[in-house]
Amino acid sequence: MDTAQRPADVRSAIVTGGAGGIGRVTCRRLAEAGYVVVVADLDGGRAADVAAALPAAPGGKHVGFGGDLTSSDVNRDLAETASRIAPIGLLVNGIGISPKRGGGKIDLEDVDDELWTSVLSVNLTAPFYASRAVAPLMPGDGTASIVMLESVTSRMGVGARLDEFPPYLPSTIAYGVSKGGLSNLRVSLVRELARRSIRVNGVAPGFVATAMMSAADAGPLVDQLPTRRYARPEEVADAIAYLASPQAAYVNGACIDVNGGWLPA
Ligand SMILES: NC(=O)c1ccc[n+]([C@@H]2O[C@H](COP(=O)([O-])OP(=O)(O)OC[C@H]3O[C@@H](n4cnc5c(N)ncnc54)[C@H](O)[C@@H]3O)[C@@H](O)[C@H]2O)c1
């Protein structure tokens, strides 16, 4: 569909990590809300498959975008791709990695330089690059927003062992630091992007049933949660869709916990 034919209120939505467990469910939820979705992921084949399986959008065709989003050039490319489809109404920074060893946490002394750099680069630098590239292409009429996929670890940190002092997370200190940085990126962008009327919010899950968590030993983890189960990806996607919606027009700088009561605010 060319620009001349496109209804005026059609918006594109970019979901980074869109082929992942939370990502692909979020893409579906946003397609149902009427966005034309750009599914962005390292795995271009899976991104294209997710895009092809989405319910049709009235304003255009969903697309898969393959690329390593730790590159600023790739993020610029992504932003231009989405804005050619329709004005960009939403960026979901959903990209993330959480390395584990033997199903659990990697201790401080085993977090080598390479692991530290890769986690910070995927979980924090890439969302910064994406936000910096996308925001200038968003309409400044108060309809556009950014949502960060943060984590319970943003506030809680990652440390110790399951048998020491709970709560326990099977991840690395690099993961907690990256997500803490992402939370600050959210509140800093609220200020930076106020002049463009772009809202910036976050969703902070605890444990969600995806590939990221399937490497962990679930039994003892679930016992820590007041709601004794992992979240379903749909429960995270619903919070993202709410934050992007007109019903959340006055919600700016907020982060919704979807952690089953694990870490009450
Ligand atoms: N699963 C959980 O329990 C949980 C909890 C809290 C927060 N989160 C956060 O939610 C987000 C999604 O998690 P998920 O469980 O769906 O993970 P997932 O591993 O299923 O999906 C992550 C996606 O990111 C993509 N990705 C990784 N590196 C990339 C790169 N360099 N360039 C482009 N794409 C890249 C992967 O290919 C993958 O498809 C992450 O930010 C994660 O940290 C997840």
Side-chain angles (χ1 to χ4, degrees):
M1 181 177 289
D2 66 30
T3 315
Q5 292 174 296
R6 194 172 59 215
D9 57 351
V10 171
R11 294 283 184 269
S12 58
I14 299 171
V15 181
T16 74
I22 295 173
R24 61 174 169 264
V25 174
T26 300
C27 290
R28 170 161 291 273
R29 182 70 184 72
L30 296 174
E32 287 164 359
Y35 289 96
V36 184
V37 181
V38 180
V39 184
D41 205 282
L42 191 58
D43 187 333
R46 273 198 303 136
D49 289 347
V50 170
L54 295 176
K61 207 168 171 321
H62 309 295
V63 297
F65 178 100
D68 182 349
L69 293 165
T70 60
S71 149
S72 56
D73 285 346
V74 172
N75 280 284
R76 270 193 288 273
D77 219 23
L78 170 62
E80 279 158 20
T81 300
S83 84
R84 274 196 299 272
I85 294 170
I88 306 172
L90 175 64
L91 165 65
V92 179
N93 277 308
I95 188 176
I97 54 172
S98 176
K100 304 187 199 330
R101 193 158 296 158
K105 173 175 167 283
I106 303 175
D107 289 337
L108 175 63
E109 54 277 19
D110 296 323
V111 177
D112 60 26
D113 299 4
E114 195 185 334
L115 187 133
W116 174 266
T117 307
S118 65
V119 172
L120 268 289
S121 144
V122 174
N123 294 6
L124 180 57
T125 305
F128 168 70
Y129 287 163
S131 305
R132 187 182 60 182
V134 168
L137 301 181
M138 285 175 148
D141 60 1
T143 60
S145 75
I146 297 175
V147 177
M148 308 292 183
L149 258 168
E150 302 177 28
S151 162
V152 70
T153 60
S154 304
R155 284 193 287 136
M156 191 168 98
V158 175
R161 293 157 204 273
L162 184 59
D163 57 358
E164 281 180 327
F165 41 91
Y168 165 81
L169 278 129
S171 193
T172 77
I173 190 166
Y175 184 81
V177 170
S178 70
K179 293 297 183 177
L182 196 59
S183 300
N184 189 278
L185 182 61
R186 161 174 48 87
V187 293
S188 296
L189 285 176
V190 167
R191 292 163 175 270
E192 288 283 342
L193 298 179
R195 64 182 181 277
R196 296 192 46 77
S197 303
I198 296 169
R199 296 180 299 112
V200 189
N201 291 296
V203 174
F207 292 137
V208 189
T210 68
M212 182 176 280
M213 285 308 301
S214 67
D217 181 7
L221 301 181
V222 167
D223 287 343
Q224 304 179 103
L225 309 176
T227 308
R228 288 181 178 271
R229 63 169 175 83
Y230 281 15
R232 292 184 291 274
E234 288 77 3
E235 291 168 318
V236 178
D238 281 343
I240 295 170
Y242 163 70
L243 289 170
S245 73
Q247 286 71 34
Y250 202 66
V251 181
N252 194 7
C255 183
I256 299 180
D257 286 334
V258 183
N259 64 30
W262 193 18
L263 185 67

